[in-house]
Amino acid sequence: MADGEVIQGSAKTPADFLKSIKGKPVVVKLNSGVDYRGILACLDGYMNIAMEQTEEYVNGQLKNKYGDAFIRGNNVLYISTVRS
């Protein structure tokens, strides 16, 4: 395969990924190391995130449960889907 060649059907942009996980369980890791796990309700171009059924984990241990949570985008290290 030559440089720049894309395999048919396998190319996804980050925007495509984010659209595909809306309404699904995700893990949001903050720069501080804290994880938030819940349902991705929505996000914007600045990576500000709204989540539902949110749980806060510190050092892998559950610390709090929130109904809805709003996370400012500049605090986000990454967003990951939850493996089932």
Side-chain angles (χ1 to χ4, degrees), residues 5-11:
E5 188 176 329
V6 177
I7 298 171
Q8 187 68 20
S10 67

Side-chain angles (χ1 to χ4, degrees), residues 12-74:
K12 264 193 169 180
T13 66
D16 292 336
F17 168 72
L18 292 171
K19 286 177 191 171
S20 73
I21 64 171
K22 197 169 176 183
K24 296 187 178 163
V26 296
V27 175
V28 177
K29 182 140 189 130
L30 303 187
N31 296 325
S32 65
V34 176
D35 289 352
Y36 288 90
R37 300 176 191 179
I39 309 298
L40 180 64
C42 63
L43 68 146
D44 65 14
Y46 295 102
M47 294 297 287
N48 295 317
I49 298 169
M51 296 176 68
E52 299 170 341
Q53 302 170 29
T54 310
E55 298 176 333
E56 179 183 47
Y57 288 83
V58 178
N59 298 323
Q61 297 204 349
L62 179 63
K63 292 295 179 184
N64 270 309
K65 289 187 177 185
Y66 306 103
D68 295 330
F70 300 94
I71 302 170
R72 187 173 169 172
N74 68 330

